[in-house]
Amino acid sequence: MPVLGGLWAQDLGLRDPGQGVGADVTAGVTPNEEDEGPPSPVWGPLGSSPVTCGALSLALELPALLRQLRAAWRARRGGPRGPEQGQTPGAWRVEVEELGQDAEEKSAQRAADGILARGHAGVLLAERRGSYPLIDLRILNTNVQQGVLEAGSRRSVKRQLSFQRYCHASRLLRGQVPRGPGSLHLLDHHYLGQATHMLSKVGTWNFDIFLFERLTNGYSLVTLMCHLLNVYGLIQHFHLDMVKLLRFLGMVQDDYHSHNPYHNALHAADVTQAMYCYLKESKLAELLSPTDVFLGLLAAAAHDVDHPGVNQPFLIKTGHHLASLYQNTSVLESHHWRSTVGMLRESGLLSHLPLCMRQDIEQQLGSLILATDISRQNEFLSTFREHLNHQSLDLHQAPHRHFILQIALKCADVCNPCREWNLSRQWSERVCEEFYRQGDIEKKFALEVSPLCNQQEDSVPSIQIGFISHIVEPLFEEWCRFTEPSPLSHTMMDLLQQNKTCWMGHAHLKEEEVDGGGENRGPVANP
């Protein structure tokens, strides 16, 4: 998602952040106005409320060029006018008469050229600049206003519109989505509807982040964060500017390495969704402040930003500059934190807040992200266990709430074995693939192969069994004690045991040199 800085033309300007992103896009529009379409010939009045993020109304209308082409087309053919068409402008009537008996393709092209030549060029070119491939009008047939497309054309339109939906952030806040029966609202109804339905269930543990990633065209992290910030009312509470927010989230998304099998933006979105589930726990929900929730979601989204796909020992033994910069201590986590702070400052997302408040947010954000260092697992676990044994946690105190946020983020970061099998298996294979890639690099340069990175010796089942036994189980047992009674915690513990049993069955089959196709089965009985 590109940075928004240079993409907002003067015709668009800045929105009033006080309007909020959760406002209804039709607010302030009478039924008659709604039937007649946006009053502006291009994108509607600049003062209209931005598109709501809470309901995922992120669909982007087609350029007004198509609406005006259809108006001239109907005037030329003498057909009925759609409800959004007013009196055809005189310049258009002259243009239509000049077209005469030309072919439909040529008439559409000349009409488009006529618009650009008569005052709309600045706006339309700003609309088109670098945002998406221009839609070829030749693939639309004469029945497009009724939503009828030839089979091949339908696929072409959906392919191009799918790409444009989330590819250009500046289009998210422009105008109103046409809803009239004659509107060209061809923006992937099927996928948009599914994504909206999924967001309505984002607080359930069986949320399929892989499907959500496909439905949002690879922008699950940005879409999810916009939705959750809107659900909690944090955009209004902190008076966040939507342009700056989308710019910041786009920078976070882009700074994740998509070629990493595991440590990528999809993993960040999965951790964010898990963090949301934990923030909803009854022990936490009523006691967390807006700042606590904002920090928890922000840390989850950015906790692995710019991850290089290799671990800390690899950076140390190769003399990487990050290892020297952070003195071989929490190297990756320190880099994730500093990168996030840099993006916050570059985007100006919090620039309107007092300096002391900005500094406090940055420091607390660093404390949360640094807690995900797996080498500090025993430190946090022993402190957590001691608090629970002595019942000394008081969530009315800010330091104790912050400590629980650290534990919640640690749980969210390693919760993959607590997911349903079909999701957990995919994450397990992804993280092992990343380990094996590091091992291949180490072999190539004659370095000592790191533990768990030798594909010939370390199988996926054995890695997962060790990870569950030594890292995940001890942590989630204490988390279950803290959240008791919690249906979610019991569900996670049940799934954890089922998945562990499954991996033990696969390890047994591998030892017996049985066909590897068994890895795609569901949980099997523990032999």
Side-chain angles (χ1 to χ4, degrees):
M1 212 169 186
V3 175
L4 301 180
L7 299 177
W8 291 82
Q10 294 181 356
D11 63 288
L12 185 60
L14 293 178
R15 302 279 184 164
D16 180 6
Q19 293 178 348
V21 299
D24 187 355
V25 296
T26 59
V29 181
T30 64
N32 291 335
E33 291 173 338
E34 204 169 13
D35 291 340
E36 295 175 2
S40 167
V42 182
W43 291 113
L46 299 183
S48 60
S49 299
V51 178
T52 175
C53 294
L56 191 66
S57 297
L58 301 178
L60 308 173
E61 66 173 345
L62 288 172
L65 166 64
L66 296 182
R67 294 200 298 270
Q68 297 191 32
L69 283 175
R70 191 170 69 254
W73 196 245
R74 287 176 175 171
R76 175 176 175 271
R77 295 172 61 91
R81 302 181 189 181
E84 78 281 11
Q85 312 297 335
Q87 182 68 26
T88 305
W92 267 102
R93 290 197 296 269
V94 173
E95 180 71 29
V96 171
E97 292 175 1
E98 291 178 355
L99 293 176
Q101 302 299 321
D102 288 346
E104 295 180 0
E105 296 179 8
K106 186 175 181 180
S107 64
Q109 183 61 44
R110 290 180 58 188
D113 294 341
I115 293 178
L116 294 177
R118 284 193 299 274
H120 295 287
V123 177
L124 290 178
L125 288 178
E127 161 58 27
R128 293 176 175 179
R129 188 187 310 120
S131 59
Y132 60 91
L134 290 179
I135 297 174
D136 187 356
L137 301 179
R138 293 174 296 178
I139 67 176
L140 304 176
N141 65 10
T142 57
N143 293 322
V144 69
Q145 60 268 27
Q146 282 78 31
V148 180
L149 289 172
E150 298 176 358
S153 298
R154 183 185 297 275
R155 287 193 296 271
S156 300
V157 169
K158 294 189 73 173
R159 181 163 55 251
Q160 294 185 65
L161 296 179
S162 295
F163 179 77
Q164 75 174 346
R165 259 176 51 213
Y166 290 100
C167 193
H168 198 282
S170 67
R171 291 170 55 81
L172 294 179
L173 304 181
R174 292 189 178 187
Q176 300 177 3
V177 178
R179 300 292 182 183
S183 65
L184 284 174
H185 192 221
L186 306 174
L187 300 176
D188 293 353
H189 288 290
H190 181 66
Y191 297 102
L192 182 63
Q194 289 190 63
T196 305
H197 177 70
M198 288 193 69
L199 276 184
S200 68
K201 301 181 180 299
V202 70
T204 59
W205 190 245
N206 61 349
F207 189 83
D208 189 344
I209 196 67
F210 296 101
L211 174 59
F212 191 67
E213 174 82 351
R214 294 192 293 271
L215 295 177
T216 55
N217 288 343
Y219 283 97
S220 58
L221 180 59
V222 175
T223 307
L224 183 62
M225 278 295 290
C226 283
H227 176 74
L228 295 181
L229 292 175
N230 190 63
V231 165
Y232 278 107
L234 298 175
I235 298 174
Q236 292 81 4
H237 179 82
F238 290 103
H239 303 289
L240 301 180
D241 186 291
M242 275 302 299
V243 177
K244 295 179 180 179
L245 175 62
L246 288 172
R247 183 185 183 191
F248 169 73
L249 294 177
M251 293 166 70
V252 172
Q253 173 92 37
D254 291 341
D255 266 19
Y256 278 99
H257 300 184
S258 59
H259 59 266
N260 288 345
Y262 182 81
H263 289 103
N264 50 40
L266 181 59
H267 166 65
D270 182 64
V271 173
T272 303
Q273 190 271 334
M275 189 68 171
Y276 174 60
C277 293
Y278 299 155
L279 295 178
K280 290 176 56 184
E281 290 282 16
S282 57
K283 287 282 186 72
L284 290 174
E286 297 180 359
L287 297 176
L288 293 176
S289 68
T291 302
D292 294 330
V293 176
F294 181 67
L295 284 169
L297 294 177
L298 190 60
H303 78 284
D304 273 333
V305 71
D306 198 30
H307 196 290
V310 293
N311 58 21
Q312 175 174 296
F314 181 90
L315 298 179
I316 294 175
K317 67 186 176 184
T318 55
H320 196 275
H321 73 277
L322 289 178
S324 302
L325 178 63
Y326 298 111
Q327 300 179 348
N328 298 343
T329 303
S330 298
V331 175
L332 288 173
E333 291 73 25
S334 298
H335 178 59
H336 304 325
W337 167 38
R338 293 300 184 182
S339 298
T340 305
V341 171
M343 288 184 287
L344 279 173
R345 295 179 180 180
E346 182 178 347
S347 65
L349 179 63
L350 307 179
S351 59
H352 61 289
L353 300 178
L355 177 61
C356 60
M357 187 175 184
R358 294 201 308 269
Q359 292 176 339
D360 182 59
I361 289 177
E362 291 175 357
Q363 291 299 320
Q364 292 194 62
L365 187 63
S367 178
L368 290 174
I369 294 178
L370 289 174
T372 61
D373 186 353
I374 201 69
S375 66
R376 301 179 63 191
Q377 176 80 359
N378 292 334
E379 171 192 340
F380 279 94
L381 187 59
S382 61
T383 303
F384 191 30
R385 187 178 289 123
E386 184 178 350
H387 275 302
L388 295 178
N389 291 339
H390 295 86
Q391 297 182 355
S392 58
L393 279 174
D394 182 6
L395 298 184
H396 291 91
Q397 300 182 25
H400 287 193
R401 292 199 307 272
H402 184 78
F403 175 74
I404 290 301
L405 286 178
Q406 290 177 313
I407 298 296
L409 182 58
K410 289 178 66 65
C411 290
D413 193 25
V414 298
C415 72
N416 302 148
C418 300
R419 298 283 191 179
E420 294 183 347
W421 169 254
N422 63 320
L423 302 176
S424 177
R425 179 180 59 83
Q426 293 184 67
W427 287 118
S428 300
E429 293 173 349
R430 282 169 173 255
V431 71
C432 289
E433 180 184 351
E434 191 166 298
F435 289 162
Y436 297 153
R437 287 188 180 184
Q438 176 178 325
D440 292 341
I441 295 174
E442 291 169 334
K443 291 177 183 178
K444 180 178 180 181
F445 292 97
L447 299 172
E448 180 183 357
V449 178
S450 300
L452 310 181
C453 296
N454 192 329
Q455 188 169 5
Q456 283 67 42
E457 298 179 2
D458 304 307
S459 65
V460 176
S462 64
I463 292 175
Q464 290 306 305
I465 293 171
F467 179 61
I468 292 173
S469 301
H470 299 292
I471 301 296
V472 183
E473 272 184 336
L475 179 61
F476 277 89
E477 286 173 357
E478 302 306 321
W479 179 258
C480 190
R481 284 178 59 194
F482 167 71
T483 57
E484 185 68 28
S486 168
L488 173 59
S489 292
H490 288 292
T491 298
M492 290 191 299
M493 292 303 295
D494 290 342
L495 290 172
L496 181 63
Q497 294 304 320
Q498 293 175 20
N499 292 334
K500 183 178 180 180
T501 301
C502 178
W503 286 121
M504 292 174 67
H506 289 324
H508 180 70
L509 292 176
K510 191 173 185 63
E511 290 175 358
E512 295 182 348
E513 296 183 351
V514 177
D515 184 5
E519 288 191 6
N520 293 324
R521 301 175 187 172
V524 296
N526 187 2

